[in-house]
Amino acid sequence: MLLPALSGAFGDDADAIRVGDQRASREAVLSAATALADRIAGSDAVAVWATAGMETVVAVVAGLLAGVPVVPVPPDSGPTERDYVLRDSAASLLLVPATSEGSPRLADVPVPVAAVDLRARSTTSYPEPPPESTALILYTSGTTGAPKGALIPRQAIAADLDALADAWSWTPDDLLVHGLPLFHVHGLVLGVLGALRIGSRLAHTGRPRPDAYATAAGTLYFGVPTVWSRVCADPSAARALSSARLLVSGSAPLPLPVFEQLAELTGQPPVERYGMTETLITVSGRADAERRPGFVGTRLAGVESRLVAEDGTPVAPDGESPGELQIRGPMMFSGYLNRPEANRESFTSDGWFRTGDIATIDADGWHRIIGRASTDMIKSGGYRIGAGEVENALLAHPAVREAAVIGAPHPDLGQQVVAYVVADAATEAQLIDFVAGRISAHKRPRQIHLVEQLPRNAMGKVQKKLLAGG
């Protein structure tokens, strides 16, 4: 069973599931979702307007009960993106909260729209769908073209959540707290389905505000680097998390200064993890092991990983040599929807998934992500420079709050290191000299642009393609 917590095996607190101000028992979620499953059963796919509300939880569970693939749609989608996802996925229906039916964002939707009724009840019993069947169709960010729908099978979700429960000592006794979007792996698969599989209680804060995290009194917290940076900026909120058992960071690299501040304020260093839409989570730190700043941990149960050079030859796991990270494991997606060419390009002939990320792996299996091969591996004057190393050097400066490094075309060097920095009081020359004093001189930025903010997506990842030259 994919969601055993809905079977009644873990008790039924009246507020076992909290989303913002909404409260529900697991039995209420199951009954409302079953009533919705009665409406959508037999559909090829249904889309969900994935707001941070109980309606999203019920709608996703309904699809899982009925064996109907669910397509989460970001509620901030523009009409072009929204309609592309709806048409590409062949969703027959868009499920929305009753309060949003008149939203301008839902005008002229190319499929029928139906409201999720949290008061509906049904006791229909549905057989468990085949483990290889598609549970979710999650659309990638589309940074290199139109978004692609990744087909996530039920067995991949089950394998990943079980491996994370082992790594994080996640049990029914936990109260999971987060405020992440419910249309991504982190917020939806880990943050909702994880609680419903493992049996822990869930408190979704609506938005990931430091004060909301501080008052939730959880034992297990999920956040992205932007969230943890804001928590650290509110020391009283950070100290309130000192009673938590585990703090988890993911979806983007956690800057070293934030790692250190969080450890100092809460009394424990955070656990980092690594994954993609297509692979779910494959590498993570463990609750019962050390937490190394700058590293995303070791392989989860069942996962294999390797590094490959540009010419296809193996890269030694010596902790220093970078290569493209390739992954195999039971939590893999089953392919892109209607994209046979993309499927062929994404997998090697021997079945490894090409992540497109550059990493190092040491002899003990610790993984360090340098960045995307397309944007974070800079080739300058014959050197291979990881953008992440330069970003961490910049972030060590006390005036720097945010930093993003890219490789920009250069007539002599091929590429030059260019940084975009949010800083309180520092000049370009001061920052260049500071970096040159911490890492090799050839890695220093040749140009630094001081900006008010960096472009980020909903998960806090910097959108380097939107930076000049990216």
Side-chain angles (χ1 to χ4, degrees), residues 61-87:
V61 172
L64 296 178
L65 291 173
V68 175
V70 173
V71 186
V73 180
D76 61 351
S77 299
T80 299
E81 178 188 1
R82 176 202 67 194
D83 293 354
Y84 170 82
V85 168
L86 293 173
R87 291 192 174 102

Side-chain angles (χ1 to χ4, degrees), residues 435-449:
V435 172
R438 295 181 67 88
I439 58 178
S440 299
H442 69 266
K443 298 177 181 179
R444 72 188 187 280
R446 300 284 177 143
Q447 294 179 3
I448 291 182
H449 301 282

Side-chain angles (χ1 to χ4, degrees), residues 207-215 227 229-234 237-238 240-241:
R207 297 181 64 83
R209 302 188 317 273
D211 62 321
Y213 273 40
T215 59
V227 171
S229 176
R230 291 173 180 172
V231 167
C232 290
D234 185 344
L241 305 186

Side-chain angles (χ1 to χ4, degrees), residues 141 143 454-457 460-467:
S141 60
T143 55
L454 299 176
R456 295 180 181 274
N457 65 13
K461 292 183 180 179
V462 175
Q463 300 296 280
K464 292 191 176 182
K465 294 290 186 181
L466 300 180
L467 299 173

